[in-house]
Structures are given as C-alpha cells and as structure tokens.
Amino acid sequence: MPPELRPADWLKGATLGVEMAAAVFLGAWIGYLADGWWRCTPWGLVLGVVVGATAGFWMAYKLAIK
Amino acid sequence: MNVLEHLNQTVVYPLQVGGIDLSITNGVISMWLAVLLVTLFFLLVSRRLKPVPGKLQNVAEVLVLFLRDEVAGQIEHDREVWLPFLITLFFFILASNLIGLVPGYSSATSNINVTAALALIVFFTVQGAGLVKHGFLGYLKSFLPEGVPLPIAIFMIPIEIVSTLAKPFSLAIRLFANMFAGHAVMLMLLSLIFFFKSYLILPLPVLGNTMILAFELFVAFIQAFIFTYLSSLYIATAVEGH
Amino acid sequence: MDPKVAAYLAAGFGMSGAACGTAIGIGWLASKAMDGMARQPEASNNIRTSMILAIAFVEAIALYALVVCLILATKV
C-alpha cells in the first residue's frame, strides 16, 4: 500500500513556480546592481540572469531528488 | 480618472520621528486591528478551556491542532520551541487577509512593505536558527551543496546564496500578489459602473464581485497556510542534522 | 502611435498570450497525468508528484512574462 500523500508533500512542489521566477529576478537585480557598481554593462545583467536561472533549476532539482 | 488610487494608502495622522516618516495610514490602522482581533480571540478562547469544546474553542482547536500536526510536523525535534512563532504568524496573516474582505477596510498584507517585513522576520529567524544550531563554521558549510565534488561546489556558492535569498523574496511576493490581485480585480469590476455611466451593466459587477469575494475568502486561508508552511519548512531544513 | 498607448497594448497582449500558452501546457500535462493515473492507480502518488513539479516549471515561465508586462504597464 503506497504511503498516503499528505497535502504537505505536494505543496513543496506547488510553490516552486514562484520561487523559480523569484530566483531569476533576484539574480537579475543583483546583476543590475553589479553593473552600476563596476560599470561592466550589460554583462552584469546577463551573468545575473544566468546565475538566477541556475539557482532556480538547482532548487527544482533538489526538490525532485527529495 | 485614476481608479487605482483607491488602492494607495491614505494618511490619517502625519507623524515624523527624527526624520523618518512614521505616519499613521489606514494600513497601520488595519494592522493594529488585526493584532487586536487575534489577541481578543485567543483571550476569549483560553479563558475557560472545557474538555468538550464549545463553538469558539472548537474553531481555535481545529486550526491550532492542524498547525501543530501538519505544519510544525516538518521540524523533527524541538517542535515546541517553534510552535508559538508559527501559530502567531499564521493567525496574524489570516486576520489581516480577512479584514481586507470587509467593505471599507483594507488588508494590511495587500501592501508590499508588510509582507516584506514578515518575510524578513522569517529570513532572520531561519538564518539565526541555523547559526545557533550549527555554529558559525557549520552555517558557512551549509552553503556547499553535498554530493558534488569540491571544485564544482566552490563554484556553486553564489548559486546557493541566490537561492537562499530567493526564498524570503518569493514568500513576500506570493502573499502580496495574491492579496493585491484580489483587491484590484474587485476594484476594476466596480469601476465598470463608473465607466459605462449607466445602471444596465449592474449584474456583471455584482455577480462578479460576489464570486470573487468567495474566491478571496478561500485564497486568504490558503495563502496564510502556505506562508506558515513554507516558513516551517525553511526552519526545518536549517535546524536539521545531528 | 503614442508610446504609452503602445506600451499598454503590448502589456495586455503579452500577458494574454503567455496565459494562453501556460493554460494549454498545464492542461495537456494534467490530462496526460490523469491518463497515467487511470491506467495504473498504484503509481498515482508518483505521477501526482511529478505532475506538480512539471506544473511549477511551466508556471515559472508565465511569471516571467507577467513581470515584464507589469514593468511595461506601470513604468512607461
């Protein structure tokens, strides 16, 4: 008999969408601030988006492995 | 005619303390109202605790027991330490969300500043719990992902930092967006009456607002639960180990 | 055309397009998941968990479009 799926278990995945989007925009904002600080437009923003996207997918990967 | 200005805060009593603008707005008043409501509710419930509960105590018991078993069940040990914080968080957010549904009142949580403050409280609590439990070196070591060889792990440190910062950010944005969107949709439907300047359009806003009010009631409970559940999940992952 | 008008129009069309794509994607995903769950009810827990995870990915893309449209509609 498979274990009963409590709402607690799938709720971790249901909120993942907002967390992934938040990671990308947070990375983009940090990249934008780094652009203003070190004057390396537009590569700071690009790097920030890449780091944010990787962080989002890393969070999804850790959740999928569980 | 700017419809969205009803969603802004109106200053009731201007107040400046040392250069910082601490005016009493209607958001501040609804936060005080939420605190008063939660305090009065629990004072009334805990005055005469009966073994077979009456109606009000039954409501409080259902919610508190649900929080204790499902939500704080994420934390393995020291559950009683975190339970008052989580229960307070849940009831404050629930009261703030529900006050916004009464016509004429605004909810405190439909303001990004309030939800950002709540998310910051949770963020500092989670980091502080990790620091106290694992010590400073263990806290720094939690930024290295495990199961990955060492050079790649060093490379993953900024990614871990971004994901740690993204969690309270997503908490604040989720609660704010859900509450604000409900109020904005209701306001847009009502402003249809002013836009068309006739009473023939009346069934659409009335029916629409009734349905959205019911949906907003559901969303108020769900969002309070999700905020508290994710906070307890972050506390559990920060305190685990040993 | 006035830039503000163009920005508001772009915000409206952009978000509605993203919502269409997201709704179609999630509906297709859920229908395949229900096919699988009906075919083999013992695996229903695994299928449900994977479905929720995949829905989160699709929803994240819709959220990117939402933020871009919000910036268009409020800043210009």
Side-chain angles (χ1 to χ4, degrees), chain B residues 59-80:
Chain B
V59 170
E61 263 191 25
V62 165
L63 290 172
V64 172
L65 284 181
F66 177 70
L67 283 175
R68 192 192 69 183
D69 295 330
E70 298 283 327
V71 173
Q74 305 288 320
I75 309 175
E76 274 93 37
H77 42 263
D78 287 344
R79 196 174 301 174
E80 281 80 22

Side-chain angles (χ1 to χ4, degrees), chain C residues 2-76:
Chain C
D2 206 16
K4 279 186 97 142
V5 172
Y8 289 145
L9 266 179
F13 278 116
M15 192 55 218
S16 71
C20 274
T22 308
I24 290 179
I26 293 185
W28 197 5
L29 186 65
S31 97
K32 296 285 183 185
M34 277 185 223
D35 274 345
M37 286 202 271
R39 204 177 283 243
Q40 191 185 2
E42 301 93 44
S44 137
N45 270 340
N46 284 337
I47 295 181
R48 194 181 302 140
T49 310
S50 310
M51 177 187 85
I52 299 275
L53 195 65
I55 286 182
F57 278 103
V58 178
E59 191 178 315
I61 301 183
L63 279 176
Y64 301 155
L66 173 72
V67 175
V68 169
C69 292
L70 275 177
I71 294 180
L72 268 177
T74 59
K75 259 205 192 164
V76 178

